[in-house]
Amino acid sequence: MTTLSVLDLVPVRSDQSTADALAATLTLARVADEVGAHRYWVAEHHNMPAVAATNAPLLMAMVAAATTRVRVGSGGVMLPNHAPLVVAEQIALLEAAHPGRIDVGLGRAPGSDPVTSHVLRRGQSGGDGVDTFDEDVETLRSLVRPDGVVVRVGTGTYPLRATPRATTVPQVWLLGSSSYSAQLAGRLGLPYVFAHHFAGRGTDEAVALYRRTFAPSDELAAPRTIAVVNAAVAPTAEEAHRLALPQVRTMWRLRQGVRLEPQELVEDAEAAPLPASADAALAAVTASWVVGDPAGAAAQVRELAERLGTDEVMVTPVAGAVRGTPADRSPAREATLRLLADALA
């Protein structure tokens, strides 16, 4: 059986405030909890009008408090933006509050534009944080353990822990869309998540590379992977494709370098079609998505899981909203989870 998990970017529609988008996310998280999803992860993106997921640990705290069973994590914390100790303290506190339910997925990308990245990283010494990513992952990994790390200061040592009396440890994952992250996850013996929803290509090669380079660790004896895929599921395939249109257009704008605005409603997207020259680009964008009726979508998810040799697929529900939808809800995203979970079961 294919295990279903969820990645939420906390999208902001043109009819929503940030507060509305957060309320919709908490309702979606409760739906995920209800239908038996294994994980509910939130992202980190900055200075994007269409995305409210700016602070993964803060969102994780909100989601964990609103749910009872589902594992809550980051997909991911962009580690070059933060000091490892700060992230370790945040995640260790969450694990203490919700033992056995916290994941931390770590990414190497900035999650923002160059100007925002510069402001985020102000005060960091040297480089942009990417050149020390390998070392920072190892540091964070050690800090969240009960024993922490021992820092050498002059001729003496200094114990350093993310939290004073940890009894459980959050699960650390590596995220990526390239061979670099696949090799690093393999070398460190960490579970690996491939951003299939964004990259769309190279998934099979990256997962195969991860498996080839995997070295068992204290946390993991054998390779473990998750693929992330965009999904829109509705009672009919035609309706699913219609609901996916706002996100398709958002991705097209992103790849064209056009400034993103809050996500359109379905009717607004239909009323302003993109130029015919965009057809090929749109087809390429959506080729790796799961869009269809429940049976068809479940078959696509199972095929992806079988192809990659994983028993877990993480979906990003991208079904948009029609005019008149309550601002604090995302019914089509909720339906995507309900319909897909039922079909997979």
Side-chain angles (χ1 to χ4, degrees):
M1 177 178 173
T2 303
T3 299
L4 180 67
S5 290
V6 182
L7 172 64
D8 186 3
L9 275 60
V10 194
V12 182
R13 306 191 308 257
S14 61
D15 64 338
Q16 288 180 314
S17 66
T18 302
D20 293 329
L22 291 172
T25 271
L26 294 182
T27 298
L28 187 67
R30 294 185 189 102
V31 170
D33 207 31
E34 176 189 333
V35 302
H38 187 49
R39 306 177 202 276
Y40 195 98
W41 284 11
V42 292
E44 177 187 335
H45 293 289
H46 302 279
N47 199 34
M48 296 179 69
V51 177
T54 55
N55 188 305
L58 186 54
L59 282 168
M60 288 167 62
M62 296 167 63
V63 170
T67 55
T68 60
R69 182 204 52 79
V70 68
R71 292 189 66 92
V72 179
S74 60
V77 168
M78 299 297 109
L79 196 53
N81 294 338
H82 313 283
L85 177 58
V86 172
V87 178
E89 288 178 331
Q90 293 166 339
I91 300 303
L93 277 176
L94 286 171
E95 175 65 23
H98 306 279
R101 290 184 59 203
I102 301 300
D103 301 326
V104 54
L106 302 174
R108 184 167 168 260
S112 60
D113 60 83
V115 174
T116 306
S117 294
H118 176 75
V119 176
L120 275 169
R121 296 168 181 177
R122 182 181 179 186
Q124 289 189 4
S125 58
D128 59 4
V130 172
D131 52 342
T132 60
F133 181 72
D134 297 22
E135 179 184 342
D136 289 346
V137 169
E138 289 275 48
T139 299
L140 186 147
R141 188 182 182 189
S142 297
L143 282 168
V144 296
R145 294 170 180 159
D147 293 338
V149 299
V150 175
V151 179
R152 183 165 295 281
V153 180
T155 58
T157 58
Y158 189 86
L160 190 60
R161 295 180 178 86
T163 189
R165 296 291 297 277
T167 56
T168 59
V169 181
Q171 201 170 84
V172 179
W173 292 72
L174 270 190
L175 283 66
S177 58
S178 68
S179 60
Y180 179 93
S181 56
Q183 287 180 303
L184 180 61
R187 178 167 59 82
L188 298 181
L190 290 174
Y192 177 57
V193 182
F194 188 83
H196 186 71
H197 68 302
F198 186 79
R201 297 180 181 178
T203 308
D204 300 75
E205 294 83 358
V207 171
L209 179 61
Y210 164 66
R211 293 183 185 281
R212 285 199 308 272
T213 57
F214 182 83
S217 65
D218 292 341
E219 296 95 332
L220 199 62
R224 187 174 184 184
T225 60
I226 299 175
V228 187
V229 61
N230 288 330
V233 186
T236 68
E238 181 182 15
E239 179 66 6
H241 281 280
R242 179 175 183 253
L243 292 170
L245 184 58
Q247 181 65 18
V248 172
R249 289 163 58 86
T250 294
M251 293 302 296
W252 183 81
R253 291 191 180 99
L254 181 64
R255 299 194 177 200
Q256 294 297 310
V258 178
R259 177 174 171 77
L260 297 183
E261 300 297 336
Q263 190 178 80
E264 300 163 300
L265 298 175
V266 172
E267 292 89 344
D268 295 332
E270 291 175 322
L274 295 172
S277 58
D279 288 349
L282 294 178
V285 165
T286 59
S288 61
W289 294 18
V290 170
V291 181
D293 60 37
Q300 293 176 64
V301 168
R302 291 192 186 100
E303 188 278 329
L304 178 64
E306 183 177 352
R307 199 179 83 214
L308 298 178
T310 181
D311 60 1
E312 185 173 349
V313 173
M314 183 172 282
V315 301
T316 301
V318 295
V322 297
R323 191 165 287 113
T325 296
D328 61 350
R329 293 282 299 276
S330 297
R333 300 178 76 218
E334 296 168 27
T336 289
L337 294 189
R338 292 187 188 279
L339 293 170
L340 187 55
D342 186 57
L344 287 171

